Amino acid sequence: MEKQQDIGTPKISVAMTIAGSDSGGGAGIQADLRTFAFHKVHGTSAITCITAQNTLGVERVDALPPESVVAQMEAIVTDIGVQAAKTGMLLNQTIIAAVAAQVEALNLTNLVVDPVMVSRTGAQLIDDAAIATLRTALIPHATVLTPNRYEAQMLGNLEIQTLADMQSAAQRIYQLGAKAVLVKGGGLQGDLRSVDVWFDGQQLETLAAETVETTNTHGTGCTLSAAIAANLALGYEPLTATRRAKEYVTTALKYALAIGKGQGPVGHFFPLLVNNSWSASS
Ligand SMILES: Nc1ncnc2c1ncn2[C@@H]1O[C@H](COP(=O)(O)OP(=O)(O)OP(=O)(O)O)[C@@H](O)[C@H]1O
Ligand SMILES: Cc1ncc(COP(=O)(O)O)c(N)n1
């Protein structure tokens, strides 16, 4: 018998998401793992809570015990190892405190913190005690912190209407200790919806993209932070990782999925479209 040729084992980067499950598959863990897969990064997950959710909204949320979240992180990092991680919906103060302590204990360095506190429509998702712990215990560990308009208003303690307001917010929030802050424009009006502002203590950058006219925007924030983490895992510098992630989100928004009766999710796998159809048959 002929000897099988050794083709070797290709190396793959690994990323971890610490976030909630979205039963509708549009945001949370599901969006993060699809984003990692698109970037050819192996995705691992520490689940914080289970949401009963669809394109119309969240019906119910069940938290996992903080010990479970911490154990998932430990199981992943001590065996497989990760080159980058992101946090999404952490839900309550005890989970936030436990995740922050574990980030420190496991010495996670490339960390994207998506401070899921207020929805794009302005509804507060976590209580004040949880926000306080996020601010003091987790945010200082962030390589990139990605608040949306309302989260930035809360963290920066100011109103945001204009590009100048976004710039002030990024500079103020930077004082909380993240290495870089990206204030996202999705919750603003007109073309500011597709503009984000970056501040890393030195560079103040405006990241602008084409505005996509769609109501199917569910999961854009999760997808952006997961794509930043994927690009960090691939070895890109934080600002480059963020620019690449923004390009990905913009294209995914162009191919957003018109499913459900509400806001459909972005189309993570647009390169798989054939003749503008998702149908598997030719
Ligand atoms: N209509 C749009 N066209 C292009 N880019 C957009 C649009 N809406 C949002 N974005 C971009 O999507 C990313 C996510 O921003 P957004 O402010 O929507 O975050 P979020 O509120 O956390 O997300 P979500 O809407 O999923 O809760 C940002 O880079 C933002 O600029
Ligand atoms: C489980 C879970 N996590 C996060 C979000 C917010 O998602 P996004 O801000 O990307 O719409 C969500 N709706 N559900």
Side-chain angles (χ1 to χ4, degrees):
M1 209 168 78
E2 230 176 279
K3 192 168 173 260
Q4 210 177 349
Q5 204 186 343
D6 181 7
I7 57 167
T9 307
K11 285 211 164 59
I12 187 159
S13 301
V14 181
M16 169 169 66
T17 169
I18 307 158
S21 163
D22 170 2
S23 55
I29 291 282
Q30 289 80 358
D32 295 345
L33 292 179
R34 283 204 298 277
T35 302
F36 293 159
F38 172 90
H39 288 86
K40 300 179 189 167
V41 166
H42 176 71
T44 62
S45 60
I47 298 184
T48 58
C49 62
I50 314 282
T51 69
Q53 182 175 183
N54 55 28
T55 64
L56 295 170
V58 179
E59 289 294 322
R60 180 187 164 112
V61 186
D62 291 293
L64 266 83
E67 298 77 18
S68 165
V69 181
V70 163
Q72 292 172 72
M73 291 170 68
E74 186 161 348
I76 296 162
V77 174
T78 55
D79 174 36
I80 303 167
V82 300
Q83 281 76 55
K86 70 151 273 189
T87 64
M89 188 170 179
L90 300 179
L91 194 64
N92 63 39
Q93 191 185 22
T94 50
I95 295 179
I96 294 170
V99 167
Q102 189 66 309
V103 160
E104 213 169 304
L106 296 171
N107 198 20
L108 297 181
T109 45
N110 276 331
L111 181 70
V112 183
V113 174
D114 184 0
V116 179
M117 309 185 321
V118 193
S119 75
R120 196 212 275 221
T121 50
Q124 191 168 326
L125 302 171
I126 61 176
D127 62 27
D128 292 345
I131 291 174
T133 304
L134 193 70
R135 189 192 279 266
T136 54
L138 188 61
I139 286 177
H141 293 290
T143 309
V144 184
L145 174 71
T146 64
N148 67 20
R149 177 198 184 176
Y150 298 103
E151 291 153 353
Q153 289 188 158
M154 207 173 256
L155 292 172
N157 198 23
L158 79 174
E159 272 283 314
I160 302 178
Q161 309 272 3
T162 63
L163 180 63
D165 296 337
M166 292 172 81
Q167 291 170 333
S168 305
Q171 287 168 301
R172 280 200 198 189
I173 296 166
Y174 175 77
Q175 305 301 325
L176 297 177
K179 288 199 180 65
V181 178
L182 184 77
V183 172
K184 300 177 294 189
L188 285 146
Q189 300 296 316
D191 280 344
L192 276 182
R193 281 177 294 168
S194 54
V195 173
D196 303 335
V197 170
W198 167 276
F199 186 62
D200 59 15
Q202 290 180 338
Q203 278 176 282
L204 181 65
E205 296 280 332
T206 301
L207 277 57
E210 174 186 342
T211 304
V212 182
E213 291 304 336
T214 177
T215 52
N216 298 321
T217 56
H218 184 49
T220 48
C222 299
T223 300
L224 180 76
S225 52
I228 298 172
N231 280 292
L232 288 174
L234 291 170
Y236 290 99
E237 292 301 318
L239 180 53
T240 307
T242 304
R243 288 189 196 281
R244 289 171 62 90
K246 184 157 177 58
E247 242 172 73
Y248 173 62
V249 169
T250 307
T251 313
L253 269 165
K254 284 187 198 163
Y255 293 100
L257 311 182
I259 56 169
K261 299 182 187 71
Q263 294 192 338
V266 302
H268 292 96
F269 286 124
F270 47 81
L272 299 182
L273 272 171
V274 178
N275 297 330
N276 208 31
S277 168
W278 291 108
S279 165
S281 57
S282 54

